[in-house]
Amino acid sequence: MNIQEIHQHLEKYGVNPSVQRVAIMQYMMEHCTHPTVDQIYNDLLPAMPTLSKATVYNTLKLLVEKKVVKSLFIDERNIRYDACSNLHAHFKCRYCSVIFDVPLEEADIPPFRGNPELSLDETQIYFLGVCKNCAVKR
Ligand SMILES: [Zn+2]
Ligand SMILES: [Zn+2]
């Protein structure tokens, strides 16, 4: 998405697209690594010296409220943020805390399979395990 498209995307969700909000949203779309507030702040700061950590925190809070991004509670120390809106589960490595998306279809979840009365639009499904990098090291 270019800047113009991010503007429209935010407006569609009722978020006033300030320069800092657009920059944070752009970062979220380019980094599908489920970043924390600290990671986003540290990465954006060199290009935006006036940015404060409170602004990053408040922007993410607003984006979650407006359902533009999702907050994940997979990491007990930090809230992680996810801008991917498609249905998916998460896999977290217990050693390095990397978080991968795991594809998930409504049809994969038995209670929802072929049930016209329930329409699933969000999951907080987490799997814990060991990633390939850590498995090699051990
Ligand atoms: Zn790992
Ligand atoms: Zn995700």
Side-chain angles (χ1 to χ4, degrees):
M1 273 199 201
N2 62 33
I3 299 289
Q4 187 60 34
E5 288 167 331
I6 291 170
H7 263 251
Q8 288 166 357
H9 186 68
L10 290 177
E11 278 172 346
K12 197 176 80 187
Y13 284 91
V15 177
N16 180 24
S18 69
V19 172
Q20 293 185 328
R21 286 174 183 170
V22 168
I24 291 167
M25 191 64 214
Q26 185 178 28
Y27 180 93
M28 290 298 300
M29 292 183 137
E30 288 170 358
H31 297 79
C32 289
T33 50
H34 312 91
T36 63
V37 165
D38 281 358
Q39 284 164 346
I40 299 167
Y41 172 73
N42 289 331
D43 285 353
L44 288 179
L45 193 60
M48 306 190 91
T50 58
L51 190 68
S52 72
K53 205 179 275 191
T55 300
V56 177
Y57 178 81
N58 289 330
T59 299
L60 285 160
K61 195 163 169 264
L62 176 71
L63 293 176
V64 169
E65 268 168 29
K66 298 287 188 180
K67 299 195 189 309
V68 191
V69 306
K70 270 181 245 165
S71 45
L72 307 179
F73 301 98
I74 188 170
D75 183 337
E76 43 304 301
R77 292 180 307 272
N78 293 297
I79 302 176
R80 314 275 294 234
Y81 294 93
D82 193 348
C84 295
S85 55
N86 64 324
L87 193 67
H88 62 271
H90 293 101
F91 177 93
K92 181 183 159 193
C93 173
R94 34 172 103 254
Y95 298 114
C96 69
S97 294
V98 68
I99 298 174
F100 295 107
D101 285 344
V102 180
L104 189 71
E105 302 278 334
E106 204 166 320
D108 293 335
I109 312 169
F112 300 103
R113 193 184 295 144
N115 185 340
E117 287 173 27
L118 301 174
S119 164
L120 197 63
D121 65 6
E122 188 182 332
T123 57
Q124 293 264 353
I125 299 177
Y126 302 133
F127 300 102
L128 273 180
V130 183
C131 79
K132 214 168 122 191
N133 281 344
C134 293
V136 169
K137 279 186 227 150
R138 264 151 213 275

